[in-house]
Amino acid sequence: QEDLAIKKLKFGELALEKELFRVIKALSGDEGAVSFESKIYAGYYLRHANFKAQIDQLSDTQLFRKDASFKVV
C-alpha cells in the first residue's frame, strides 16, 4: 500500500491529468464537508492520519470516514 501512495504522490505522468480527485459529499455525512476520491485509483480517498495527508483505500470505519472528510471554509 505504501508503494501505491508513493506512486500517486510522485505525479510524473499523472501530472498530465487535469484533475486527480473527484469532489464528493463527505464520507462522514457532515454538512458543509467534502471528500476527495482519486480519479486514477477508484475507491481510494485523500485522508489525514498521524498529522500527514495520504491516499488510502476506503475502509468502512467511522475513523476513516472522518479522516477522509474536509470542512470547506
Side-chain angles (χ1 to χ4, degrees):
Q1 181 173 332
E2 186 159 321
D3 285 346
L4 181 61
I6 290 169
K7 287 177 187 172
K8 285 186 278 185
L9 293 175
K10 289 184 179 175
F11 296 111
E13 68 276 5
L14 301 181
L16 299 175
E17 296 290 329
K18 183 174 180 181
E19 298 173 350
L20 296 176
F21 295 97
R22 180 180 357 273
V23 180
I24 63 168
K25 181 179 174 184
L27 293 174
S28 66
D30 293 342
E31 285 293 320
V34 296
S35 291
F36 300 92
E37 181 181 12
S38 172
K39 284 188 166 186
I40 298 164
Y41 299 98
Y44 282 76
Y45 294 84
L46 181 66
R47 72 181 290 204
H48 66 85
N50 300 317
F51 303 100
K52 295 180 184 176
Q54 58 191 51
I55 302 168
D56 288 323
Q57 188 170 19
L58 177 64
S59 172
D60 191 25
T61 65
Q62 181 68 15
L63 177 63
F64 184 93
R65 290 190 298 271
K66 287 203 168 282
D67 284 352
S69 297
F70 299 87
K71 186 78 168 183
V72 178
V73 292

